[in-house]
Amino acid sequence: MGRFRANLMVCAGAGCEACGCIKIRDAITEELKKRSLDEEIGVVLTGCMGPCQNAPVILVYPENIFYQKVKVEDIPFLVEEHFLKGRPVERLMYQEADTKTAVPVMGKIPFFKHQVLRALRNKGFIDPEKIEEYIARDGYMAAAKALTEMSPEEIIKVVKDSNIRGRGGAGFPTGTKWESCARIAADQKYMCCNGDEGDPGAFMDRALMESDPHAVIEGMIIGARAIGATKGYIYVRAEYPLAIHRLKIAIDQCYETGLLGENILNSGFDFDLEIYQGAGAFVCGESTALMYSIQGLRGMPRLTPPRSTEAGLWGKPTVLNNVETLACIPQIILNGADWFKSLGTEKSTGTKVFSLSGAIKNAGLVEVPMGMPLRTIIYDIGGGVPGARRGRKFKAVQMGGPSGGCIPESLRSTRPLHSRTFRRQGP
Ligand SMILES: Cc1cc2nc3c(=O)[nH]c(=O)nc-3n(C[C@H](O)[C@H](O)[C@H](O)COP(=O)(O)O)c2cc1C
């Protein structure tokens, strides 16, 4: 990024793609060339930045100026005004609702102001299809540390100490799950990632896989090393073509650079990873059904015990973790358990990614510290219910998908623990 006077980050999450961001990127590139600015201004396609309601969106570094609902016709004016004349274009900025004044800087816009990015820390910063951009943001440092400086027991201890609980819904402590699998001796173990995400209206995991696929893969490498797995699967529903496309590119890049396969980083550790595409059955998000599905069997949950950590894929010890859980792991290894625990509540540490959808003004993707009251998420970040001025009222919020529940108006100051808090699951 330092090569350029400014960088134009064009959001290429699925929402912005559907709203024509590729045409916008092409128009920007053409316009910059026409005005001989292409050597001075960089253009990057990034993963989802979150404010899907206002797609397509663009962020300009280093000033962090945020443009929304940009159209191809706006591009010549935007390039001339912002990059030639140094006058950012107010009409394409977020407008303060009461005063109708433009808010240029991303961090001052209410939707972004209350967020803390950890799992989503690379969104809007990197091109998810370039491994070197992930590496430039300390990517694979944690895997290198885990593989060359830490024993499996040390990895598990840090994860246990961080108190991270699975983001897939059951809230099971990740370190404990890894420990119970690591204890079992077996000729083959598996490390799996759950990217099924069948809950209606949920797109946290999709956005994560699309915007930062390497973070998920890195979390899986660390988990595999901790439990002694040499083979892994990422289970992604086939309705997520962009996530699958970017994960495939990321996996290929890892094989090319020696971060997957045999003797990773000369550590003596081998790990192979592939994607398994699910056919879009909600029940296949459940761990035992998911494993049957990978085996080519009917995706039906079975009774436990035995737990998957004892007898999972093909009867071998298997750990299954959610996409977001895995994306948090590299940061925990690099920054330590106390850093992770510095946000959230005593029982639910860290942050949580939420997708806001339905009757809410600012639909999109957000990440907030665990324990933030729903009120803050719905009103301060989400902007409240559309039509509130006409008397439309907030009735309830549905959380946790089909296994979740509805939280009525009277409880809107409740502190949610998870987006899917209610599933009763073991490891
Ligand atoms: C019906 C059903 C559907 C589920 N769907 C998902 C899903 O889409 N994604 C997910 O991560 N977990 C899902 N789960 C939870 C998984 O069974 C499992 O607990 C989770 O993937 C473990 O990862 P974690 O410990 O990192 O949360 C589902 C559970 C049930 C009962």
Side-chain angles (χ1 to χ4, degrees):
M1 285 171 98
R3 287 204 340 257
F4 299 104
R5 164 160 76 85
N7 282 275
L8 258 161
M9 317 306 277
V10 181
C11 177
C16 280
E17 263 215 3
C19 292
C21 72
I22 302 295
K23 282 190 188 145
I24 287 181
R25 189 270 315 263
D26 293 346
I28 294 171
T29 313
E30 201 187 307
E31 196 61 31
L32 289 174
K33 217 169 183 172
K34 217 155 78 187
R35 293 170 183 271
S36 305
L37 287 170
D38 51 329
E39 296 290 316
E40 284 174 54
I41 318 283
V43 184
V44 181
L45 274 186
T46 73
C48 178
M49 293 187 200
C52 310
Q53 185 89 24
N54 296 319
V57 300
I58 296 174
L59 182 61
V60 184
Y61 283 119
E63 310 107 300
N64 278 321
I65 291 180
F66 182 77
Y67 292 121
Q68 57 184 31
K69 294 189 177 167
V70 180
K71 296 192 196 76
V72 171
E73 309 84 87
D74 297 323
I75 301 303
F77 184 69
L78 178 79
V79 169
E80 178 169 331
E81 283 295 297
H82 191 136
F83 297 106
L84 274 180
K85 299 182 178 163
R87 293 192 300 227
V89 181
E90 290 200 358
R91 73 171 168 84
L92 293 174
M93 293 173 187
Y94 168 84
Q95 307 289 320
E96 173 60 57
D98 297 329
T99 57
K100 297 275 176 251
T101 47
V103 184
V105 177
M106 187 188 217
K108 298 236 161 93
I109 299 172
F111 181 79
F112 297 104
K113 203 163 64 180
H114 303 272
Q115 296 194 46
V116 184
L117 304 184
R118 283 187 171 181
L120 296 172
R121 72 185 193 102
N122 283 331
K123 74 164 180 146
F125 272 107
I126 63 167
D127 178 342
E129 297 188 10
K130 292 194 174 142
I131 190 171
E132 56 275 25
E133 296 201 7
Y134 180 69
I135 290 172
R137 299 262 303 155
D138 287 346
Y140 291 108
M141 292 277 283
K145 185 175 173 190
L147 264 52
T148 61
E149 293 172 21
M150 295 171 84
S151 66
E153 296 75 23
E154 284 169 333
I155 300 171
I156 290 171
K157 184 169 181 334
V158 177
V159 176
K160 269 183 96 173
D161 289 350
S162 76
N163 250 337
I164 180 171
R165 294 169 54 190
R167 273 39 177 164
F172 194 86
T174 306
T176 308
K177 189 190 280 192
W178 288 12
E179 188 175 46
S180 55
C181 191
R183 276 201 193 125
I184 298 168
D187 57 349
Q188 178 70 62
K189 293 186 193 176
Y190 296 98
M191 180 78 208
C192 296
C193 168
N194 193 341
D196 190 56
E197 194 167 51
D199 297 347
F203 48 90
M204 304 83 71
D205 298 344
R206 171 172 63 72
L208 249 165
M209 291 184 282
E210 287 173 3
S211 62
D212 206 5
H214 284 289
V216 183
I217 296 171
E218 188 174 8
M220 290 190 79
I221 297 172
I222 296 166
R225 157 86 172 148
I227 63 166
T230 53
K231 174 89 201 160
Y233 292 93
I234 309 180
Y235 191 93
V236 196
R237 58 177 46 232
E239 289 103 321
Y240 282 0
L242 188 60
I244 292 168
H245 172 73
R246 292 195 176 146
L247 280 167
K248 270 189 187 151
I249 292 174
I251 290 175
D252 287 349
Q253 290 170 339
C254 285
Y255 274 107
E256 280 160 24
T257 47
L259 286 158
L260 281 175
E262 283 176 17
N263 193 20
I264 299 174
L265 299 174
N266 238 355
S267 63
F269 177 68
D270 307 336
F271 184 56
D272 281 307
L273 184 59
E274 62 181 272
I275 298 169
Y276 190 93
Q277 295 190 35
F282 173 70
V283 74
C284 285
E286 191 278 335
S287 56
T288 58
L290 180 148
M291 288 178 204
Y292 282 139
S293 171
I294 292 179
Q295 288 174 233
L297 303 172
R298 192 171 179 184
M300 295 244 297
R302 65 161 170 82
L303 288 175
T304 52
R307 303 267 185 223
S308 304
T309 46
E310 300 155 25
L313 273 179
W314 291 282
K316 302 290 183 187
T318 305
V319 158
L320 174 73
N321 277 127
N322 167 261
V323 167
E324 189 183 332
T325 314
L326 289 163
C328 292
I329 297 294
Q331 292 304 300
I332 294 175
I333 297 295
L334 271 190
N335 301 317
D338 287 341
W339 169 83
F340 191 76
K341 285 194 288 197
S342 66
L343 284 181
T345 66
E346 200 191 329
K347 286 192 175 156
S348 287
T349 52
T351 57
K352 181 74 196 78
V353 180
F354 285 86
S355 23
L356 306 181
S357 53
I360 188 149
K361 264 194 198 156
N362 306 329
L365 187 77
V366 302
E367 182 172 2
V368 295
M370 285 276 197
M372 179 178 274
L374 271 175
R375 192 174 206 302
T376 314
I377 300 174
I378 296 165
Y379 288 94
D380 299 339
I381 299 176
V385 177
R389 280 167 201 259
R390 297 192 310 273
R392 265 186 98 191
K393 285 203 176 120
F394 170 86
K395 285 187 191 150
V397 57
Q398 203 281 330
M399 294 203 353
S403 334
C406 288
I407 298 172
E409 213 273 333
S410 57
L411 296 176
R412 71 179 171 191
S413 294
T414 308
R415 292 170 186 272
L417 298 178
H418 286 263
S419 66
R420 312 181 186 114
T421 327
F422 307 91
R423 282 184 192 131
R424 288 169 52 224
Q425 290 281 300

